[in-house]
Amino acid sequence: MTAASARRFWLVKTEPDAFSFDDLMASPDRTTCWDGVRNYQARNTMRDDMKRGDLVLFYHSSTEPAAIVGVAEVAREAYPDHTAFDEKDPHFDPKSRRDAPTWMMVDLRAVERLARPVTLAELRGVPGLEKMVLLQKGSRLSVQPVSASEWAIVCRLGGVPVE
């Protein structure tokens, strides 16, 4: 593997009431499309940077406690988000066109549940995570990069082998 094609690491946020890690684990082949992202920066990350085989921290937000609960991987690279074209879907976007889609999605496959959830409060006090995007004031992106060192720290905290 060359440096340009080296595996990268990401974090995706989801509200467990909408779609949880349990839902991902229960999906056929433990895989689902990661649809409904309606932020241009997050879209660009999925479209331009997320590659098949990249690893993903699965974060439950808007819950108590908010926590990283699992590991997934990118199973399919970016392709048009079909929900943007479905008038009955809450993520419908009348400006998105099939011949020039505005919104993209990737497929994620569950790899494993963390042995224990790593809470947001816990992450805030861990040396080496000071620059983690998740912990930055005002960080609201639903798809964000994670450095290799941050990945290793979180995996150790969660009790899973470091890739």
Side-chain angles (χ1 to χ4, degrees), residues 66-107:
I68 298 171
V69 297
V71 174
E73 73 175 333
V74 177
R76 181 179 176 191
E77 294 180 18
Y79 60 102
D81 182 340
H82 63 273
T83 65
F85 311 122
D86 182 354
E87 292 181 25
K88 295 182 178 100
D89 193 281
H91 299 113
F92 173 66
D93 180 358
K95 295 179 183 174
S96 191
R97 300 186 337 256
R98 289 187 188 276
D99 62 336
T102 304
W103 304 110
M104 306 299 282
M105 61 185 175
V106 297
D107 286 357

mmCIF file of all heavy atoms in Angstrom, residues 66-107:
data_model
loop_
_atom_site.group_PDB
_atom_site.id
_atom_site.type_symbol
_atom_site.label_atom_id
_atom_site.label_comp_id
_atom_site.label_asym_id
_atom_site.label_seq_id
_atom_site.Cartn_x
_atom_site.Cartn_y
_atom_site.Cartn_z
ATOM 1 N N ALA A 66 -23.474 10.531 25.259
ATOM 2 C CA ALA A 66 -22.981 10.462 23.880
ATOM 3 C C ALA A 66 -21.689 9.660 23.922
ATOM 4 O O ALA A 66 -20.864 9.852 24.823
ATOM 5 C CB ALA A 66 -22.740 11.867 23.342
ATOM 6 N N ALA A 67 -21.514 8.745 22.953
ATOM 7 C CA ALA A 67 -20.347 7.871 23.027
ATOM 8 C C ALA A 67 -20.026 7.232 21.689
ATOM 9 O O ALA A 67 -20.909 7.039 20.844
ATOM 10 C CB ALA A 67 -20.590 6.775 24.062
ATOM 11 N N ILE A 68 -18.763 6.863 21.531
ATOM 12 C CA ILE A 68 -18.333 6.014 20.419
ATOM 13 C C ILE A 68 -18.646 4.591 20.846
ATOM 14 O O ILE A 68 -18.245 4.157 21.931
ATOM 15 C CB ILE A 68 -16.836 6.192 20.122
ATOM 16 C CG1 ILE A 68 -16.556 7.640 19.694
ATOM 17 C CG2 ILE A 68 -16.390 5.202 19.045
ATOM 18 C CD1 ILE A 68 -15.092 7.995 19.589
ATOM 19 N N VAL A 69 -19.385 3.877 19.999
ATOM 20 C CA VAL A 69 -19.883 2.557 20.401
ATOM 21 C C VAL A 69 -19.427 1.412 19.511
ATOM 22 O O VAL A 69 -19.575 0.245 19.884
ATOM 23 C CB VAL A 69 -21.425 2.555 20.487
ATOM 24 C CG1 VAL A 69 -21.906 3.527 21.567
ATOM 25 C CG2 VAL A 69 -22.047 2.878 19.140
ATOM 26 N N GLY A 70 -18.901 1.716 18.322
ATOM 27 C CA GLY A 70 -18.529 0.638 17.431
ATOM 28 C C GLY A 70 -17.562 1.058 16.354
ATOM 29 O O GLY A 70 -17.244 2.240 16.211
ATOM 30 N N VAL A 71 -17.127 0.051 15.604
ATOM 31 C CA VAL A 71 -16.230 0.250 14.465
ATOM 32 C C VAL A 71 -16.928 -0.290 13.221
ATOM 33 O O VAL A 71 -17.518 -1.374 13.240
ATOM 34 C CB VAL A 71 -14.887 -0.496 14.685
ATOM 35 C CG1 VAL A 71 -14.016 -0.420 13.433
ATOM 36 C CG2 VAL A 71 -14.149 0.059 15.899
ATOM 37 N N ALA A 72 -16.844 0.494 12.155
ATOM 38 C CA ALA A 72 -17.378 0.093 10.862
ATOM 39 C C ALA A 72 -16.283 0.322 9.822
ATOM 40 O O ALA A 72 -15.214 0.854 10.150
ATOM 41 C CB ALA A 72 -18.621 0.911 10.519
ATOM 42 N N GLU A 73 -16.565 -0.104 8.617
ATOM 43 C CA GLU A 73 -15.632 0.191 7.530
ATOM 44 C C GLU A 73 -16.413 0.656 6.321
ATOM 45 O O GLU A 73 -17.607 0.351 6.169
ATOM 46 C CB GLU A 73 -14.763 -1.013 7.184
ATOM 47 C CG GLU A 73 -15.467 -2.108 6.453
ATOM 48 C CD GLU A 73 -14.520 -3.229 6.024
ATOM 49 O OE1 GLU A 73 -13.324 -2.979 5.832
ATOM 50 O OE2 GLU A 73 -14.999 -4.363 5.888
ATOM 51 N N VAL A 74 -15.747 1.416 5.457
ATOM 52 C CA VAL A 74 -16.363 1.857 4.218
ATOM 53 C C VAL A 74 -16.396 0.648 3.285
ATOM 54 O O VAL A 74 -15.359 0.101 2.921
ATOM 55 C CB VAL A 74 -15.575 3.029 3.586
ATOM 56 C CG1 VAL A 74 -16.203 3.427 2.249
ATOM 57 C CG2 VAL A 74 -15.533 4.220 4.543
ATOM 58 N N ALA A 75 -17.603 0.215 2.945
ATOM 59 C CA ALA A 75 -17.787 -0.959 2.090
ATOM 60 C C ALA A 75 -17.969 -0.575 0.626
ATOM 61 O O ALA A 75 -17.724 -1.379 -0.265
ATOM 62 C CB ALA A 75 -18.997 -1.763 2.564
ATOM 63 N N ARG A 76 -18.432 0.644 0.382
ATOM 64 C CA ARG A 76 -18.607 1.143 -0.991
ATOM 65 C C ARG A 76 -18.323 2.638 -0.979
ATOM 66 O O ARG A 76 -18.812 3.359 -0.110
ATOM 67 C CB ARG A 76 -20.039 0.874 -1.471
ATOM 68 C CG ARG A 76 -20.301 1.351 -2.892
ATOM 69 C CD ARG A 76 -21.715 1.033 -3.333
ATOM 70 N NE ARG A 76 -21.980 1.590 -4.660
ATOM 71 C CZ ARG A 76 -23.181 1.654 -5.197
ATOM 72 N NH1 ARG A 76 -24.236 1.185 -4.559
ATOM 73 N NH2 ARG A 76 -23.353 2.185 -6.394
ATOM 74 N N GLU A 77 -17.573 3.085 -1.954
ATOM 75 C CA GLU A 77 -17.239 4.504 -2.050
ATOM 76 C C GLU A 77 -18.439 5.312 -2.523
ATOM 77 O O GLU A 77 -19.454 4.759 -2.942
ATOM 78 C CB GLU A 77 -16.023 4.687 -2.957
ATOM 79 C CG GLU A 77 -14.770 4.073 -2.330
ATOM 80 C CD GLU A 77 -13.522 4.209 -3.181
ATOM 81 O OE1 GLU A 77 -13.477 5.053 -4.103
ATOM 82 O OE2 GLU A 77 -12.565 3.452 -2.900
ATOM 83 N N ALA A 78 -18.297 6.613 -2.482
ATOM 84 C CA ALA A 78 -19.398 7.548 -2.718
ATOM 85 C C ALA A 78 -20.146 7.316 -4.025
ATOM 86 O O ALA A 78 -19.554 7.038 -5.064
ATOM 87 C CB ALA A 78 -18.870 8.974 -2.676
ATOM 88 N N TYR A 79 -21.455 7.444 -3.914
ATOM 89 C CA TYR A 79 -22.364 7.375 -5.050
ATOM 90 C C TYR A 79 -23.582 8.236 -4.706
ATOM 91 O O TYR A 79 -23.768 8.624 -3.549
ATOM 92 C CB TYR A 79 -22.736 5.928 -5.386
ATOM 93 C CG TYR A 79 -23.429 5.144 -4.287
ATOM 94 C CD1 TYR A 79 -24.806 4.935 -4.331
ATOM 95 C CD2 TYR A 79 -22.714 4.605 -3.223
ATOM 96 C CE1 TYR A 79 -25.458 4.194 -3.342
ATOM 97 C CE2 TYR A 79 -23.350 3.870 -2.232
ATOM 98 C CZ TYR A 79 -24.717 3.677 -2.288
ATOM 99 O OH TYR A 79 -25.360 2.952 -1.307
ATOM 100 N N PRO A 80 -24.411 8.594 -5.690
ATOM 101 C CA PRO A 80 -25.521 9.510 -5.432
ATOM 102 C C PRO A 80 -26.470 8.996 -4.340
ATOM 103 O O PRO A 80 -26.823 7.818 -4.308
ATOM 104 C CB PRO A 80 -26.233 9.606 -6.781
ATOM 105 C CG PRO A 80 -25.157 9.321 -7.775
ATOM 106 C CD PRO A 80 -24.302 8.263 -7.116
ATOM 107 N N ASP A 81 -26.877 9.901 -3.468
ATOM 108 C CA ASP A 81 -27.814 9.593 -2.394
ATOM 109 C C ASP A 81 -29.230 9.598 -2.958
ATOM 110 O O ASP A 81 -29.774 10.656 -3.291
ATOM 111 C CB ASP A 81 -27.660 10.631 -1.278
ATOM 112 C CG ASP A 81 -28.566 10.380 -0.088
ATOM 113 O OD1 ASP A 81 -29.568 9.655 -0.222
ATOM 114 O OD2 ASP A 81 -28.278 10.935 0.981
ATOM 115 N N HIS A 82 -29.812 8.415 -3.061
ATOM 116 C CA HIS A 82 -31.146 8.272 -3.649
ATOM 117 C C HIS A 82 -32.240 8.997 -2.863
ATOM 118 O O HIS A 82 -33.271 9.346 -3.423
ATOM 119 C CB HIS A 82 -31.513 6.789 -3.785
ATOM 120 C CG HIS A 82 -31.604 6.080 -2.475
ATOM 121 N ND1 HIS A 82 -30.517 5.502 -1.871
ATOM 122 C CD2 HIS A 82 -32.650 5.888 -1.639
ATOM 123 C CE1 HIS A 82 -30.897 4.971 -0.717
ATOM 124 N NE2 HIS A 82 -32.184 5.191 -0.559
ATOM 125 N N THR A 83 -32.031 9.232 -1.576
ATOM 126 C CA THR A 83 -33.080 9.890 -0.776
ATOM 127 C C THR A 83 -33.312 11.328 -1.230
ATOM 128 O O THR A 83 -34.390 11.876 -1.001
ATOM 129 C CB THR A 83 -32.760 9.859 0.733
ATOM 130 O OG1 THR A 83 -31.589 10.635 1.000
ATOM 131 C CG2 THR A 83 -32.560 8.432 1.222
ATOM 132 N N ALA A 84 -32.319 11.936 -1.876
ATOM 133 C CA ALA A 84 -32.470 13.311 -2.354
ATOM 134 C C ALA A 84 -33.501 13.408 -3.471
ATOM 135 O O ALA A 84 -34.053 14.481 -3.714
ATOM 136 C CB ALA A 84 -31.122 13.849 -2.840
ATOM 137 N N PHE A 85 -33.780 12.277 -4.148
ATOM 138 C CA PHE A 85 -34.697 12.281 -5.289
ATOM 139 C C PHE A 85 -36.101 11.795 -4.938
ATOM 140 O O PHE A 85 -36.991 11.832 -5.780
ATOM 141 C CB PHE A 85 -34.141 11.388 -6.412
ATOM 142 C CG PHE A 85 -32.705 11.662 -6.730
ATOM 143 C CD1 PHE A 85 -31.761 10.650 -6.631
ATOM 144 C CD2 PHE A 85 -32.275 12.924 -7.106
ATOM 145 C CE1 PHE A 85 -30.427 10.886 -6.919
ATOM 146 C CE2 PHE A 85 -30.938 13.182 -7.392
ATOM 147 C CZ PHE A 85 -30.016 12.159 -7.296
ATOM 148 N N ASP A 86 -36.286 11.349 -3.709
ATOM 149 C CA ASP A 86 -37.558 10.750 -3.284
ATOM 150 C C ASP A 86 -38.400 11.782 -2.544
ATOM 151 O O ASP A 86 -38.105 12.135 -1.401
ATOM 152 C CB ASP A 86 -37.272 9.542 -2.386
ATOM 153 C CG ASP A 86 -38.528 8.827 -1.927
ATOM 154 O OD1 ASP A 86 -39.652 9.314 -2.194
ATOM 155 O OD2 ASP A 86 -38.378 7.769 -1.285
ATOM 156 N N GLU A 87 -39.448 12.253 -3.194
ATOM 157 C CA GLU A 87 -40.295 13.300 -2.606
ATOM 158 C C GLU A 87 -40.911 12.892 -1.275
ATOM 159 O O GLU A 87 -41.272 13.750 -0.474
ATOM 160 C CB GLU A 87 -41.395 13.704 -3.590
ATOM 161 C CG GLU A 87 -40.862 14.413 -4.809
ATOM 162 C CD GLU A 87 -41.957 14.833 -5.763
ATOM 163 O OE1 GLU A 87 -43.119 15.014 -5.328
ATOM 164 O OE2 GLU A 87 -41.650 14.990 -6.955
ATOM 165 N N LYS A 88 -41.027 11.601 -1.029
ATOM 166 C CA LYS A 88 -41.630 11.125 0.224
ATOM 167 C C LYS A 88 -40.605 10.979 1.350
ATOM 168 O O LYS A 88 -40.977 10.746 2.495
ATOM 169 C CB LYS A 88 -42.327 9.783 -0.019
ATOM 170 C CG LYS A 88 -43.502 9.893 -0.965
ATOM 171 C CD LYS A 88 -44.198 8.559 -1.137
ATOM 172 C CE LYS A 88 -45.387 8.691 -2.036
ATOM 173 N NZ LYS A 88 -45.146 8.269 -3.397
ATOM 174 N N ASP A 89 -39.329 11.095 1.028
ATOM 175 C CA ASP A 89 -38.268 10.931 2.021
ATOM 176 C C ASP A 89 -37.984 12.257 2.723
ATOM 177 O O ASP A 89 -37.990 13.309 2.079
ATOM 178 C CB ASP A 89 -36.990 10.422 1.333
ATOM 179 C CG ASP A 89 -35.963 9.949 2.334
ATOM 180 O OD1 ASP A 89 -35.275 10.799 2.930
ATOM 181 O OD2 ASP A 89 -35.863 8.722 2.538
ATOM 182 N N PRO A 90 -37.735 12.231 4.043
ATOM 183 C CA PRO A 90 -37.437 13.485 4.753
ATOM 184 C C PRO A 90 -36.156 14.170 4.260
ATOM 185 O O PRO A 90 -35.965 15.357 4.514
ATOM 186 C CB PRO A 90 -37.296 13.065 6.218
ATOM 187 C CG PRO A 90 -37.381 11.591 6.260
ATOM 188 C CD PRO A 90 -37.810 11.086 4.933
ATOM 189 N N HIS A 91 -35.304 13.448 3.540
ATOM 190 C CA HIS A 91 -34.060 14.035 3.036
ATOM 191 C C HIS A 91 -34.176 14.497 1.586
ATOM 192 O O HIS A 91 -33.173 14.811 0.945
ATOM 193 C CB HIS A 91 -32.906 13.034 3.175
ATOM 194 C CG HIS A 91 -32.656 12.662 4.592
ATOM 195 N ND1 HIS A 91 -32.880 11.390 5.077
ATOM 196 C CD2 HIS A 91 -32.218 13.391 5.643
ATOM 197 C CE1 HIS A 91 -32.589 11.369 6.361
ATOM 198 N NE2 HIS A 91 -32.188 12.562 6.725
ATOM 199 N N PHE A 92 -35.401 14.539 1.060
ATOM 200 C CA PHE A 92 -35.638 14.984 -0.308
ATOM 201 C C PHE A 92 -35.063 16.377 -0.520
ATOM 202 O O PHE A 92 -35.181 17.251 0.333
ATOM 203 C CB PHE A 92 -37.149 14.997 -0.602
ATOM 204 C CG PHE A 92 -37.506 15.592 -1.929
ATOM 205 C CD1 PHE A 92 -37.121 14.968 -3.104
ATOM 206 C CD2 PHE A 92 -38.225 16.770 -2.005
ATOM 207 C CE1 PHE A 92 -37.462 15.512 -4.343
ATOM 208 C CE2 PHE A 92 -38.574 17.319 -3.233
ATOM 209 C CZ PHE A 92 -38.189 16.691 -4.403
ATOM 210 N N ASP A 93 -34.417 16.582 -1.673
ATOM 211 C CA ASP A 93 -33.886 17.886 -2.042
ATOM 212 C C ASP A 93 -34.328 18.185 -3.471
ATOM 213 O O ASP A 93 -33.794 17.618 -4.423
ATOM 214 C CB ASP A 93 -32.359 17.900 -1.959
ATOM 215 C CG ASP A 93 -31.764 19.240 -2.348
ATOM 216 O OD1 ASP A 93 -32.510 20.172 -2.717
ATOM 217 O OD2 ASP A 93 -30.524 19.351 -2.293
ATOM 218 N N PRO A 94 -35.302 19.070 -3.644
ATOM 219 C CA PRO A 94 -35.837 19.337 -4.979
ATOM 220 C C PRO A 94 -34.802 19.929 -5.936
ATOM 221 O O PRO A 94 -34.983 19.883 -7.156
ATOM 222 C CB PRO A 94 -36.983 20.323 -4.723
ATOM 223 C CG PRO A 94 -36.685 20.928 -3.398
ATOM 224 C CD PRO A 94 -35.944 19.882 -2.611
ATOM 225 N N LYS A 95 -33.698 20.458 -5.411
ATOM 226 C CA LYS A 95 -32.668 21.041 -6.274
ATOM 227 C C LYS A 95 -31.677 19.999 -6.785
ATOM 228 O O LYS A 95 -30.935 20.264 -7.727
ATOM 229 C CB LYS A 95 -31.925 22.145 -5.532
ATOM 230 C CG LYS A 95 -32.805 23.330 -5.203
ATOM 231 C CD LYS A 95 -32.040 24.383 -4.454
ATOM 232 C CE LYS A 95 -32.959 25.526 -4.062
ATOM 233 N NZ LYS A 95 -32.274 26.496 -3.219
ATOM 234 N N SER A 96 -31.641 18.831 -6.157
ATOM 235 C CA SER A 96 -30.718 17.788 -6.587
ATOM 236 C C SER A 96 -31.289 17.080 -7.807
ATOM 237 O O SER A 96 -32.465 16.748 -7.837
ATOM 238 C CB SER A 96 -30.481 16.790 -5.453
ATOM 239 O OG SER A 96 -29.407 15.934 -5.759
ATOM 240 N N ARG A 97 -30.443 16.855 -8.807
ATOM 241 C CA ARG A 97 -30.885 16.215 -10.047
ATOM 242 C C ARG A 97 -30.138 14.896 -10.239
ATOM 243 O O ARG A 97 -28.961 14.789 -9.923
ATOM 244 C CB ARG A 97 -30.609 17.140 -11.229
ATOM 245 C CG ARG A 97 -31.330 18.473 -11.137
ATOM 246 C CD ARG A 97 -31.168 19.331 -12.405
ATOM 247 N NE ARG A 97 -30.021 19.025 -13.223
ATOM 248 C CZ ARG A 97 -28.901 19.773 -13.266
ATOM 249 N NH1 ARG A 97 -28.795 20.853 -12.522
ATOM 250 N NH2 ARG A 97 -27.903 19.422 -14.070
ATOM 251 N N ARG A 98 -30.817 13.929 -10.818
ATOM 252 C CA ARG A 98 -30.173 12.630 -11.060
ATOM 253 C C ARG A 98 -28.967 12.757 -11.986
ATOM 254 O O ARG A 98 -27.990 12.045 -11.836
ATOM 255 C CB ARG A 98 -31.175 11.637 -11.635
ATOM 256 C CG ARG A 98 -32.188 11.187 -10.613
ATOM 257 C CD ARG A 98 -33.076 10.080 -11.154
ATOM 258 N NE ARG A 98 -34.154 9.789 -10.225
ATOM 259 C CZ ARG A 98 -34.056 8.969 -9.179
ATOM 260 N NH1 ARG A 98 -32.924 8.372 -8.931
ATOM 261 N NH2 ARG A 98 -35.080 8.771 -8.382
ATOM 262 N N ASP A 99 -29.014 13.683 -12.936
ATOM 263 C CA ASP A 99 -27.896 13.843 -13.870
ATOM 264 C C ASP A 99 -26.770 14.700 -13.287
ATOM 265 O O ASP A 99 -25.679 14.755 -13.862
ATOM 266 C CB ASP A 99 -28.374 14.426 -15.205
ATOM 267 C CG ASP A 99 -28.972 15.820 -15.078
ATOM 268 O OD1 ASP A 99 -29.439 16.178 -13.975
ATOM 269 O OD2 ASP A 99 -28.982 16.551 -16.080
ATOM 270 N N ALA A 100 -27.030 15.344 -12.158
ATOM 271 C CA ALA A 100 -26.003 16.139 -11.471
ATOM 272 C C ALA A 100 -26.346 16.141 -9.979
ATOM 273 O O ALA A 100 -26.791 17.143 -9.428
ATOM 274 C CB ALA A 100 -25.970 17.562 -12.021
ATOM 275 N N PRO A 101 -26.168 15.001 -9.304
ATOM 276 C CA PRO A 101 -26.605 14.891 -7.905
ATOM 277 C C PRO A 101 -25.820 15.823 -6.976
ATOM 278 O O PRO A 101 -24.608 15.981 -7.124
ATOM 279 C CB PRO A 101 -26.330 13.431 -7.567
ATOM 280 C CG PRO A 101 -25.334 12.964 -8.560
ATOM 281 C CD PRO A 101 -25.542 13.784 -9.790
ATOM 282 N N THR A 102 -26.549 16.420 -6.069
ATOM 283 C CA THR A 102 -25.936 17.288 -5.070
ATOM 284 C C THR A 102 -25.368 16.467 -3.926
ATOM 285 O O THR A 102 -24.314 16.778 -3.392
ATOM 286 C CB THR A 102 -26.980 18.284 -4.515
ATOM 287 O OG1 THR A 102 -27.547 19.008 -5.600
ATOM 288 C CG2 THR A 102 -26.362 19.234 -3.515
ATOM 289 N N TRP A 103 -26.079 15.417 -3.550
ATOM 290 C CA TRP A 103 -25.752 14.688 -2.324
ATOM 291 C C TRP A 103 -25.248 13.284 -2.621
ATOM 292 O O TRP A 103 -25.750 12.617 -3.518
ATOM 293 C CB TRP A 103 -26.979 14.650 -1.404
ATOM 294 C CG TRP A 103 -27.446 16.038 -1.127
ATOM 295 C CD1 TRP A 103 -28.578 16.632 -1.578
ATOM 296 C CD2 TRP A 103 -26.747 17.036 -0.377
ATOM 297 N NE1 TRP A 103 -28.641 17.920 -1.156
ATOM 298 C CE2 TRP A 103 -27.535 18.203 -0.406
ATOM 299 C CE3 TRP A 103 -25.548 17.051 0.326
ATOM 300 C CZ2 TRP A 103 -27.144 19.386 0.235
ATOM 301 C CZ3 TRP A 103 -25.157 18.224 0.963
ATOM 302 C CH2 TRP A 103 -25.953 19.369 0.916
ATOM 303 N N MET A 104 -24.271 12.876 -1.841
ATOM 304 C CA MET A 104 -23.636 11.573 -2.013
ATOM 305 C C MET A 104 -23.773 10.766 -0.722
ATOM 306 O O MET A 104 -24.073 11.316 0.342
ATOM 307 C CB MET A 104 -22.155 11.747 -2.356
ATOM 308 C CG MET A 104 -21.896 12.649 -3.555
ATOM 309 S SD MET A 104 -22.624 12.058 -5.083
ATOM 310 C CE MET A 104 -21.471 10.786 -5.523
ATOM 311 N N MET A 105 -23.513 9.473 -0.843
ATOM 312 C CA MET A 105 -23.484 8.596 0.322
ATOM 313 C C MET A 105 -22.441 7.520 0.088
ATOM 314 O O MET A 105 -21.966 7.326 -1.032
ATOM 315 C CB MET A 105 -24.848 7.979 0.583
ATOM 316 C CG MET A 105 -25.392 7.120 -0.513
ATOM 317 S SD MET A 105 -27.063 6.587 -0.099
ATOM 318 C CE MET A 105 -27.505 5.737 -1.587
ATOM 319 N N VAL A 106 -22.058 6.861 1.165
ATOM 320 C CA VAL A 106 -21.177 5.700 1.101
ATOM 321 C C VAL A 106 -21.919 4.554 1.772
ATOM 322 O O VAL A 106 -22.921 4.771 2.449
ATOM 323 C CB VAL A 106 -19.820 5.953 1.819
ATOM 324 C CG1 VAL A 106 -19.041 7.060 1.140
ATOM 325 C CG2 VAL A 106 -20.019 6.241 3.300
ATOM 326 N N ASP A 107 -21.438 3.342 1.579
ATOM 327 C CA ASP A 107 -21.967 2.204 2.334
ATOM 328 C C ASP A 107 -21.011 1.905 3.477
ATOM 329 O O ASP A 107 -19.787 1.920 3.283
ATOM 330 C CB ASP A 107 -22.096 0.963 1.456
ATOM 331 C CG ASP A 107 -23.264 1.031 0.490
ATOM 332 O OD1 ASP A 107 -24.028 2.016 0.534
ATOM 333 O OD2 ASP A 107 -23.405 0.088 -0.313
#
